[in-house]
Amino acid sequence: MTYREAVRAALRQALRSDPRVFLMGEDVGRYGGAFAVSLGLLAEFGPERIRDAPLSESAFVGAGIGAALGGMRPIVEIMTVNFSMLAMDQILNNAATLRHMSGGQLNVPLVVRVATGGGRQMAAQHSHSLEGWYAHIPGIKVLTPATVADAYGMLLAALRDPDPVFIFEHATLYPLEGEVDETAEPIDIRRAAVRRSGSDVTLVTYGGTLGKTMQAADFLAKDGIEAEVIDLRTLRPLDRSTILESIAKTHRAVLVDEAWRTGSFAAEISAQIMENAFDDLDAPVARVCSAEVPMPYAKHLETAALPKVEDIVSAAQELISRHG
Amino acid sequence: MTYREAVRAALRQALRSDPRVFLMGEDVGRYGGAFAVSLGLLAEFGPERIRDAPLSESAFVGAGIGAALGGMRPIVEIMTVNFSMLAMDQILNNAATLRHMSGGQLNVPLVVRVATGGGRQMAAQHSHSLEGWYAHIPGIKVLTPATVADAYGMLLAALRDPDPVFIFEHATLYPLEGEVDETAEPIDIRRAAVRRSGSDVTLVTYGGTLGKTMQAADFLAKDGIEAEVIDLRTLRPLDRSTILESIAKTHRAVLVDEAWRTGSFAAEISAQIMENAFDDLDAPVARVCSAEVPMPYAKHLETAALPKVEDIVSAAQELISRHG
Amino acid sequence: MATTSSTSCPPVSREHALFLLREMLRIRRFEEKAAEMYSLQKIHGFLHLYIGEEATGVGTMQAFTPQDAIVATYREHGHALARGIPSTVLMAEMFGKATGCSHGHGGSMHFFDASRRFYGGYAIVGGGLPIAVGLALADKLRNQLRVTACYFGDGAVAEGEFHESLNLAALWKLPVVFLCENNLYAMGTALVRHQAQTDISLKAGSYGLASQAVDGMDVLAVEAAAKQAADAVRSGNGPFLLELRTYRFRAHSMADPDLYRPKEEIEEWKKRDPISLFESRLREWGLLTEADRARIEKEVAAEIDEAVRFAEASPFEPVEELLKDVSGAVKP
Amino acid sequence: MATTSSTSCPPVSREHALFLLREMLRIRRFEEKAAEMYSLQKIHGFLHLYIGEEATGVGTMQAFTPQDAIVATYREHGHALARGIPSTVLMAEMFGKATGCSHGHGGSMHFFDASRRFYGGYAIVGGGLPIAVGLALADKLRNQLRVTACYFGDGAVAEGEFHESLNLAALWKLPVVFLCENNLYAMGTALVRHQAQTDISLKAGSYGLASQAVDGMDVLAVEAAAKQAADAVRSGNGPFLLELRTYRFRAHSMADPDLYRPKEEIEEWKKRDPISLFESRLREWGLLTEADRARIEKEVAAEIDEAVRFAEASPFEPVEELLKDVSGAVKP
Ligand SMILES: Cc1ncc(C[n+]2csc(CCOP(=O)(O)OP(=O)(O)O)c2C)c(N)n1
Ligand SMILES: Cc1ncc(C[n+]2csc(CCOP(=O)(O)OP(=O)(O)O)c2C)c(N)n1
Ligand SMILES: [Mg+2]
Ligand SMILES: [Mg+2]
């Protein structure tokens, strides 16, 4: 099935198995979801549980927080990460703080799904990758499923969490084809996944750039460079040990992140490698990120702004040549 | 004069010299500013130019953008960085993008002043340090004056910039005493400042933690450790060369940042040092940041959550001992 | 605007009248003590006093049952007391103690008591409204017949979250009683300088909502109006907007020099002090004797003294527990 | 709701009538061509067509002078054309070319033309309103007698920025004409499902604003109402809210399968197509001949063909200039 269908299957599974679960957001019902993720769910579960919301990001995200406090298990959809700026107050100041501010009396079992990323010529108000911002916030979790199986499994795992969980779905992944084992064991969202093992260099990525990173690894293999590819899956909490184990083996790392370079989550990973694997490193950790420009519309400019397979390949080659 | 008075002097200077300048925000007029920064300005400049705004962060920040497009030089005050979440849409999606989206036809000469930081027992909705988030955004500049002179000079420099400039004033600095030379040359906001020179370790910080870092340096000096202290002053654009020059000399760095550790701006600095000074380093770059908890109210807990002088000292000693 | 016309025959039982008076006095004395403790530096951070507004909190709270939910602001001491949270744990919270209603994590602005469905204590103006909408949505989705009381100030009315929340609650017919405590100022900004239309109850029209404005200095009028509002909401007609016209006698917070309003204005309003106003009514009606008054005052004083003693005697949370309440464990 | 009663004597000169008709036709044909170019993959990203709403853009734009400012949404092709931005640079923008009105940076959703005070092209729903308020504030502060026209849809009315912006503009008496193009849907969500109170013009009351609703399919009624609104604003009475009741004949965007509304509803509305409606009026009044119609159609077709030719022939911005327009240089 596709990534889109996998998210839908997980939604259906959750809605069927737990009466507390409901889906709320703009056009999740009659329209079927801006990315057709929830298509057909309204017919099966009705307008109370597949709830079309007005254009009021702050209010319906806040309502999700309140409903979670009230014992429900809301799944809120925010159409595009840029729109989530309108709800940032509710997210940072309420969702993330209530457990602590209340001395542990309250918790907010809220799941928020957000479409993210560029590559579709949507220009400067629809194309960014702000997962790294979210990963800065104590009190929430940040998931970035990059595969069809994770799109399914991580949503179900998120619903078992007692605290707010943000799931970032890179919009270019929705048509991706893959396998889902609906009978599989629940995913441990605290673990990163090694998508390809190798001994020469570690490529660390997540979400929308996993595909490009795997392609880069194949390309490097033709060169005789065996790259290990780590899919972080979860940015917060970060599975540092998987990264460190790999670097203990490869002694080199390239971090691939679609966010703007300065202040990207890749910077955090680089800093943690610095702090915990300094003596393992044969070369400085490199980053491949997006150019620091609001996303341009024109295809050639957008392509130039986003991380490219060649960038990853040459960054890896560079590390190996420079510090052979 | 105090930091508070220095900001006020700069505001007065700007309002007197440029009829396009006006100050807008909650309680900047009749109340005199939540931190008494604009006290007395209403009497001198009147309610049109010292403009009390309703509780509408998104609208009055957006109105600042529009007024800047319309040829004015607005200075918008946001009382506390946590409240700026309500204006994040206007900041990220409009202020930062308009020059680029319009193909360079428009520019937004807007200055936004934001009080930031913890240490006053204001708890989990008034105490954070999100400058690092802002520093991630292409198209804006992020200033963090840490001294009385900079509080004055950087505001005037910001008003000469053709693009949006965000000035973060750490609320604990307002009573700080210092000198201002109102006749001095305009500050080059692109340059960091070396506040203390030393040869053994580089301490990099900005804003509210400069004081603690200077104290740590004094303490280390008693130990015979000569620390160089760099005040970044501006997070975006970052003056990397000043950092690298220092590390070429000291071969060690401790980064001090009041933000939550994961995804802090300190991570970006660590990554840039990794990328540009790897071979100069005798020890891994260390970070001293805030604990990853929404700010607690109780004094002893807040103190435990914030960076402490001892933390900086021991981080520096650790670097020197571990990799002597 | 609704008021109770002073009649010769009392519209309230002696017992209930004395209860309301006591509740208002508890708040008044608690706040006076809090101010004292702040100046003694036992309390830090922001401290927003409710003095002058006691009738709105006490009167409205009579309309809600323990099953209902309460959402308030940083000026919530009165609401917390009227809801029945012991003054001991509230004072301890402001002292930053582990025995505080929020374990010392919240302070004056962030009181919580899950057992009493007191959901805080929100210090981002307008930030509590969407939360209240969500609590009510949860009840609606489970067909639970209870309401959520959402308190906020006149300043919050300018925030986008006010507009979005009232539309959402009205559109989905959610059981929320929106209670706007209009004290004529948002910090230093007068109502006329933050609202183009200063009649707040009138704004309900944009959402097809029922609304009413009531004299917030008249505790009986407030109680009656709040009960009507709550009944309307319980009957399933969707939310109600009740505007409570009141005034704060103290500065916005202890940090406020209060330069923006004429002293005469404050004095004028103090003539309508909700407590003395109610007392004189009760005397007219022969429901309050000097002895009653003295006894209540004495009992309240004892309660507040005990609150301070409790707060003083309480331990701080161990610093080792700093990170305890950031995230919870996944239940299997 | 204002409409023009069909009278025997024409309320409009032949010249102006034919101008209005031509303007609406230019938009209709431009949009049809854009859809074609999208299917040919010359245009990418989101494409929101204005077909069915031509009378609102053309009619309102007659009320504004070149000195006035325009703020629009991602559904702004009609406004840009009616404002006088050449169809060539608009088509080139959607082709992503350097000659586009935004140098290919913006695409369909982000048209800009500083020389014509066309300030965009905002794709965050509601995000343009505060910008318009600020443009008007700049004019007020400099006593410049000009207005800002702010276009937005019915969906934007639910956003907090609508509420905050109208309050701010009304409170400060700023010269903004708020133009709500109510096409009864916010993407797939019908007005009744996103507004508790579906009469948008009525919401002006919350801000003490003057407002009116007008038949958005009647270009003359729209023009008249817009001129009244603009005159009221120019006279310094503060902002005005004009609701234009219209309908989009196409899907929300090219990506929309349009599953949420009955085909019959669309067909019903097409009977009130603003262009054919106006044409038949003009024929009644004897202001439009077959020859006129054919000539206009021919001229418009030529213009649109030229726009495509221009867009095709134009160069792309060199990729080396990717970072050119992120920040400017500090002027000494
Ligand atoms: C979003 C936001 N902006 C600004 C502030 C600072 N602030 C705290 S209270 C207040 C005034 C609120 O007035 P009102 O809603 O009338 O409540 P009152 O204090 O009068 O009870 C302001 C501006 C804040 N806490 N949150
Ligand atoms: C803040 C925000 N939320 C959601 C969207 C996605 N979206 C784009 S247009 C639209 C509907 C807007 O409807 P309306 O304001 O009536 O304008 P119309 O498209 O009908 O002209 C939505 C939900 C967005 N662009 N911005
Ligand atoms: Mg108030
Ligand atoms: Mg619409």
Side-chain angles (χ1 to χ4, degrees):
Chain A
M1 65 175 77
T2 63
Y3 188 102
R4 171 182 291 111
E5 289 159 347
V7 178
R8 187 185 306 145
L11 288 169
R12 184 174 278 120
Q13 157 67 13
L15 285 155
R16 284 181 181 165
S17 60
D18 187 344
R20 301 170 305 173
V21 171
F22 66 101
L23 177 66
M24 169 165 61
E26 290 154 7
D27 294 303
V28 295
R30 287 153 190 88
Y31 189 100
F35 296 95
V37 166
S38 47
L39 202 62
L41 297 183
L42 176 66
E44 180 173 352
F45 301 101
E48 289 288 301
R49 296 184 70 198
I50 306 298
R51 184 168 285 269
D52 282 321
L55 277 141
S56 304
E57 283 77 5
S58 194
F60 69 73
V61 169
I65 297 167
L69 289 174
M72 302 300 284
R73 291 288 179 274
I75 301 173
V76 170
E77 175 176 312
I78 300 177
M79 244 184 233
T80 295
V81 67
N82 289 65
F83 315 157
S84 75
M85 298 300 100
L86 289 161
M88 204 42 102
D89 164 53
Q90 288 296 327
I91 294 165
L92 180 94
N93 291 315
N94 287 345
T97 60
L98 279 163
R99 177 187 285 270
H100 179 266
M101 279 199 303
S102 67
Q105 292 177 83
L106 302 179
N107 66 298
V108 181
L110 167 71
V111 173
V112 181
R113 296 177 40 244
V114 189
T116 190
R120 300 170 307 123
Q121 289 192 255
M122 296 302 182
Q125 296 186 328
H126 281 74
S127 305
H128 299 113
S129 288
L130 297 162
E131 304 81 52
W133 272 14
Y134 283 82
H136 180 54
I137 307 174
I140 69 170
K141 294 184 178 62
V142 179
L143 315 188
T144 57
T147 67
V148 174
D150 278 354
Y152 178 84
M154 295 184 96
L155 176 50
L156 295 180
L159 284 163
R160 281 192 303 271
D161 201 279
D163 298 310
V165 179
F166 288 76
I167 304 180
F168 289 89
E169 301 166 359
H170 196 289
T172 60
L173 294 177
Y174 287 122
L176 183 74
E177 286 284 348
E179 293 302 308
V180 169
D181 174 1
E182 306 196 14
T183 65
E185 276 301 292
I187 293 183
D188 177 1
I189 59 170
R190 286 180 165 65
R191 301 289 300 162
V194 176
R195 298 296 183 191
R196 182 189 209 283
S197 59
S199 51
D200 301 332
V201 61
T202 302
L203 308 181
V204 181
T205 191
Y206 67 88
T209 42
L210 176 60
K212 292 175 180 177
T213 306
M214 292 299 280
Q215 288 173 45
D218 293 341
F219 193 96
L220 287 163
K222 299 204 190 75
D223 254 22
I225 299 172
E226 287 307 323
E228 180 146 295
V229 177
I230 295 177
D231 170 6
L232 292 174
R233 302 170 96 209
T234 296
L235 305 190
R236 185 180 194 95
L238 181 68
D239 175 10
R240 187 167 66 202
S241 56
T242 298
I243 300 171
L244 297 179
E245 284 158 24
S246 179
I247 287 173
K249 185 171 62 171
T250 64
H251 311 295
R252 293 172 179 79
V254 176
L255 315 177
V256 185
D257 184 348
E258 195 178 297
W260 293 305
R261 182 185 182 92
T262 300
S264 58
F265 192 71
E268 176 61 29
I269 302 170
S270 180
Q272 292 201 22
I273 294 172
M274 164 83 83
E275 291 153 4
N276 301 282
F278 184 69
D279 298 333
D280 288 337
L281 290 175
D282 287 348
V285 173
R287 285 184 290 172
V288 176
C289 301
S290 284
E292 308 215 359
V293 56
M295 199 61 73
Y297 161 73
K299 186 70 192 166
H300 66 297
L301 297 176
E302 184 182 41
T303 304
L306 293 167
K308 286 174 290 303
V309 174
E310 313 84 82
D311 303 335
I312 305 168
V313 169
S314 49
Q317 289 168 332
E318 158 75 1
L319 289 193
I320 285 164
S321 59
R322 245 187 69 201
H323 301 251
Chain B
M1 67 175 78
T2 63
Y3 189 101
R4 171 184 289 108
E5 290 160 346
V7 177
R8 187 185 305 142
L11 287 169
R12 185 174 276 118
Q13 157 68 16
L15 285 154
R16 283 180 181 166
S17 60
D18 187 344
R20 300 170 306 173
V21 171
F22 67 100
L23 177 67
M24 168 166 62
E26 289 154 6
D27 293 303
V28 294
R30 288 151 188 92
Y31 189 100
F35 295 96
V37 167
S38 47
L39 203 63
L41 297 184
L42 177 65
E44 180 173 353
F45 300 101
E48 289 288 301
R49 295 184 71 196
I50 307 297
R51 184 166 285 269
D52 281 322
L55 277 139
S56 305
E57 283 76 5
S58 194
F60 69 73
V61 169
I65 298 167
L69 289 175
M72 302 298 286
R73 291 287 179 274
I75 301 173
V76 170
E77 175 176 310
I78 300 177
M79 240 184 235
T80 295
V81 68
N82 290 66
F83 315 157
S84 75
M85 298 300 100
L86 288 160
M88 207 37 105
D89 164 50
Q90 287 296 327
I91 294 165
L92 180 94
N93 291 315
N94 288 345
T97 61
L98 279 163
R99 177 187 285 271
H100 179 266
M101 278 199 304
S102 67
Q105 291 177 82
L106 302 179
N107 66 298
V108 181
L110 167 70
V111 173
V112 181
R113 296 177 40 244
V114 189
T116 189
R120 300 169 308 123
Q121 290 191 253
M122 296 302 182
Q125 295 186 328
H126 281 75
S127 305
H128 299 113
S129 289
L130 297 162
E131 304 80 53
W133 272 14
Y134 283 82
H136 181 54
I137 307 174
I140 69 170
K141 295 185 178 61
V142 178
L143 314 188
T144 58
T147 68
V148 174
D150 278 354
Y152 178 83
M154 295 184 96
L155 176 51
L156 295 180
L159 284 162
R160 280 193 303 273
D161 201 278
D163 298 309
V165 178
F166 288 76
I167 304 180
F168 289 89
E169 300 166 1
H170 196 289
T172 60
L173 294 178
Y174 288 121
L176 184 74
E177 286 284 349
E179 293 303 309
V180 169
D181 175 0
E182 305 198 13
T183 66
E185 276 301 292
I187 292 183
D188 177 2
I189 59 171
R190 286 179 166 64
R191 302 288 302 162
V194 176
R195 299 296 183 190
R196 181 189 211 284
S197 58
S199 50
D200 301 332
V201 60
T202 302
L203 308 181
V204 182
T205 190
Y206 68 89
T209 41
L210 176 60
K212 292 175 180 177
T213 307
M214 292 299 280
Q215 288 174 44
D218 292 342
F219 193 96
L220 287 163
K222 300 205 190 75
D223 256 22
I225 298 172
E226 286 308 324
E228 181 147 294
V229 176
I230 294 177
D231 170 7
L232 292 173
R233 302 170 98 208
T234 296
L235 304 190
R236 185 180 193 93
L238 180 68
D239 175 8
R240 188 166 67 200
S241 57
T242 298
I243 300 171
L244 297 180
E245 283 158 24
S246 179
I247 288 174
K249 186 172 59 173
T250 63
H251 311 294
R252 293 173 180 79
V254 176
L255 314 177
V256 185
D257 183 346
E258 195 177 296
W260 292 306
R261 181 186 184 91
T262 300
S264 58
F265 192 70
E268 176 61 30
I269 302 170
S270 180
Q272 292 201 23
I273 294 171
M274 165 83 83
E275 292 154 3
N276 300 282
F278 185 69
D279 299 333
D280 289 337
L281 290 174
D282 286 349
V285 173
R287 285 184 289 172
V288 176
C289 302
S290 283
E292 308 216 358
V293 56
M295 199 61 74
Y297 161 73
K299 186 73 194 164
H300 66 297
L301 297 176
E302 184 182 39
T303 303
L306 292 167
K308 288 174 289 300
V309 173
E310 314 84 83
D311 303 334
I312 305 168
V313 168
S314 47
Q317 288 168 331
E318 157 76 0
L319 289 193
I320 284 163
S321 58
R322 243 185 70 200
H323 301 252
Chain C
M1 187 172 73
T3 54
T4 45
S5 50
S6 38
T7 80
S8 47
C9 68
V12 56
S13 77
R14 178 171 189 277
E15 183 194 8
H16 187 60
L18 296 190
F19 167 77
L20 293 174
L21 177 61
R22 174 195 301 267
E23 287 294 279
M24 291 197 286
L25 264 176
R26 288 177 66 229
I27 295 170
R28 177 69 55 95
R29 300 296 174 243
F30 181 89
E31 294 293 65
E32 288 165 350
K33 183 62 71 176
E36 182 189 334
M37 291 298 122
Y38 182 91
S39 50
L40 294 176
Q41 300 196 26
K42 298 288 186 180
I43 296 174
H44 296 87
F46 276 133
L47 176 62
H48 306 87
L49 302 178
Y50 198 58
I51 292 175
E53 308 187 31
E54 295 90 346
T56 69
V58 170
T60 53
M61 207 59 78
Q62 307 313 312
F64 305 112
T65 73
Q67 288 68 45
D68 297 330
I70 312 294
V71 172
T73 73
Y74 49 86
R75 195 183 299 283
E76 84 283 40
H77 304 174
H79 310 88
L81 286 164
R83 181 61 173 179
I85 308 178
S87 49
T88 47
V89 301
L90 299 180
M91 190 64 75
E93 182 59 31
M94 294 193 288
F95 277 52
K97 299 300 181 81
T99 56
C101 62
S102 308
H103 302 189
H105 295 185
S108 162
M109 300 193 288
H110 304 298
F111 288 172
F112 289 87
D113 184 343
S115 68
R116 292 179 176 84
R117 304 202 76 222
F118 191 87
Y119 286 99
Y122 293 85
I124 305 294
V125 172
L129 279 80
I131 303 288
V133 169
L135 284 160
L137 175 59
D139 289 338
K140 175 123 194 274
L141 285 169
R142 281 180 316 215
N143 305 309
Q144 252 167 328
L145 289 176
R146 55 190 192 182
V147 308
T148 296
C150 181
Y151 293 88
F152 55 93
D154 52 291
V157 172
E159 290 282 5
E161 289 183 326
F162 167 85
H163 175 70
E164 294 185 1
S165 298
L166 266 69
N167 182 52
L168 215 56
L171 183 69
W172 294 345
K173 294 209 174 310
L174 302 180
V176 186
V177 185
F178 291 103
L179 299 151
C180 180
E181 299 184 306
N182 175 6
N183 60 11
L184 298 177
Y185 288 87
M187 213 159 139
T189 304
L191 183 65
V192 294
R193 282 194 276 276
H194 70 72
Q195 290 296 318
Q197 163 54 265
T198 55
D199 183 337
I200 291 171
S201 61
L202 176 150
K203 297 173 197 280
S206 285
Y207 318 101
L209 277 191
S211 70
Q212 203 198 338
V214 60
D215 176 0
M217 296 310 206
D218 178 342
V219 67
L220 293 178
V222 169
E223 178 178 28
K227 284 183 164 160
Q228 277 175 27
D231 290 346
V233 172
R234 288 184 208 283
S235 71
N237 301 342
F240 191 101
L241 173 61
L242 182 61
E243 177 189 353
L244 305 141
R245 298 192 173 157
T246 182
Y247 196 80
R248 68 172 152 73
F249 293 168
R250 297 295 185 98
H252 169 70
S253 75
M254 302 302 283
D256 170 12
D258 210 339
L259 306 170
Y260 44 80
R261 50 181 192 174
K263 297 279 155 288
E264 308 67 48
E265 179 182 294
I266 304 174
E267 291 318 310
E268 268 313 300
W269 274 95
K270 282 186 172 169
K271 293 180 188 154
R272 305 206 59 245
D273 182 317
I275 296 177
S276 23
L277 216 61
F278 190 50
E279 279 185 15
S280 50
R281 280 270 178 77
L282 296 186
R283 289 207 171 82
E284 271 174 46
W285 294 330
L287 297 181
L288 178 72
T289 68
E290 278 316 313
D292 298 326
R293 184 68 178 75
R295 179 175 35 78
I296 295 173
E297 192 68 71
K298 191 151 156 302
E299 289 164 356
V300 168
E303 176 190 352
I304 304 303
D305 290 345
E306 168 56 18
V308 171
R309 198 202 53 71
F310 175 86
E312 282 283 11
S314 292
F316 286 108
E317 185 173 65
V319 77
E320 297 65 38
E321 296 187 1
L322 177 64
L323 304 181
K324 182 168 105 292
D325 294 325
V326 178
S327 300
V330 177
K331 301 172 199 66
Chain D
M1 185 172 74
T3 51
T4 42
S5 52
S6 38
T7 79
S8 45
C9 67
V12 56
S13 76
R14 178 170 189 277
E15 184 194 6
H16 187 61
L18 297 190
F19 168 76
L20 293 175
L21 177 61
R22 173 194 302 268
E23 287 293 278
M24 291 197 286
L25 263 177
R26 287 177 67 227
I27 296 170
R28 178 69 54 95
R29 300 294 173 245
F30 181 90
E31 295 292 62
E32 288 165 350
K33 182 62 70 175
E36 183 189 334
M37 291 298 123
Y38 182 90
S39 50
L40 293 176
Q41 301 196 27
K42 298 287 185 180
I43 297 174
H44 299 271
F46 275 133
L47 176 62
H48 307 87
L49 302 178
Y50 199 55
I51 292 175
E53 308 187 31
E54 294 89 347
T56 69
V58 170
T60 53
M61 207 58 78
Q62 307 314 311
F64 305 112
T65 73
Q67 289 68 44
D68 296 331
I70 312 295
V71 171
T73 72
Y74 49 85
R75 196 183 299 284
E76 85 283 39
H77 304 173
H79 311 87
L81 285 164
R83 181 60 172 179
I85 309 178
S87 49
T88 47
V89 302
L90 299 180
M91 190 63 75
E93 183 58 33
M94 294 194 287
F95 277 51
K97 298 301 181 80
T99 55
C101 62
S102 308
H103 302 188
H105 295 185
S108 162
M109 300 193 287
H110 304 299
F111 287 172
F112 289 88
D113 184 343
S115 68
R116 292 180 175 84
R117 305 202 75 221
F118 190 87
Y119 286 100
Y122 293 84
I124 305 293
V125 172
L129 280 81
I131 303 288
V133 169
L135 283 161
L137 175 59
D139 289 338
K140 177 127 195 272
L141 286 169
R142 281 181 316 217
N143 306 309
Q144 250 165 330
L145 289 176
R146 55 189 193 182
V147 308
T148 296
C150 181
Y151 292 89
F152 55 92
D154 51 292
V157 171
E159 290 283 5
E161 290 183 326
F162 166 86
H163 174 69
E164 294 185 3
S165 298
L166 265 70
N167 182 53
L168 215 57
L171 183 69
W172 293 346
K173 294 213 176 309
L174 302 180
V176 186
V177 184
F178 290 102
L179 299 151
C180 180
E181 298 184 307
N182 175 6
N183 60 13
L184 298 176
Y185 287 87
M187 213 161 139
T189 304
L191 183 65
V192 293
R193 281 192 278 270
H194 70 73
Q195 290 297 318
Q197 164 53 265
T198 54
D199 183 337
I200 291 172
S201 61
L202 178 150
K203 297 172 197 279
S206 284
Y207 318 102
L209 277 193
S211 70
Q212 203 199 337
V214 59
D215 175 0
M217 295 313 204
D218 178 342
V219 69
L220 293 178
V222 169
E223 178 178 27
K227 284 183 165 163
Q228 278 177 27
D231 290 347
V233 172
R234 288 184 207 284
S235 69
N237 300 343
F240 191 103
L241 173 61
L242 182 61
E243 177 189 354
L244 305 142
R245 299 195 172 155
T246 181
Y247 196 80
R248 68 171 152 72
F249 293 169
R250 298 294 186 100
H252 169 70
S253 75
M254 300 302 283
D256 170 13
D258 210 339
L259 306 171
Y260 44 80
R261 51 183 191 173
K263 296 281 153 288
E264 306 68 50
E265 179 182 294
I266 304 174
E267 290 319 310
E268 267 314 300
W269 275 96
K270 282 186 174 169
K271 293 181 188 153
R272 303 204 61 244
D273 181 316
I275 296 178
S276 24
L277 216 60
F278 191 50
E279 279 183 18
S280 49
R281 280 270 177 76
L282 296 187
R283 289 208 173 80
E284 270 174 44
W285 293 330
L287 297 181
L288 178 73
T289 67
E290 278 315 313
D292 298 324
R293 183 69 177 74
R295 181 176 32 79
I296 296 173
E297 192 67 71
K298 194 152 154 299
E299 288 163 357
V300 168
E303 178 191 350
I304 305 304
D305 291 345
E306 168 56 18
V308 172
R309 198 203 53 72
F310 175 87
E312 283 283 10
S314 292
F316 287 109
E317 186 173 64
V319 77
E320 297 65 39
E321 298 188 358
L322 177 64
L323 303 180
K324 182 169 104 291
D325 294 325
V326 177
S327 302
V330 177
K331 299 172 201 62

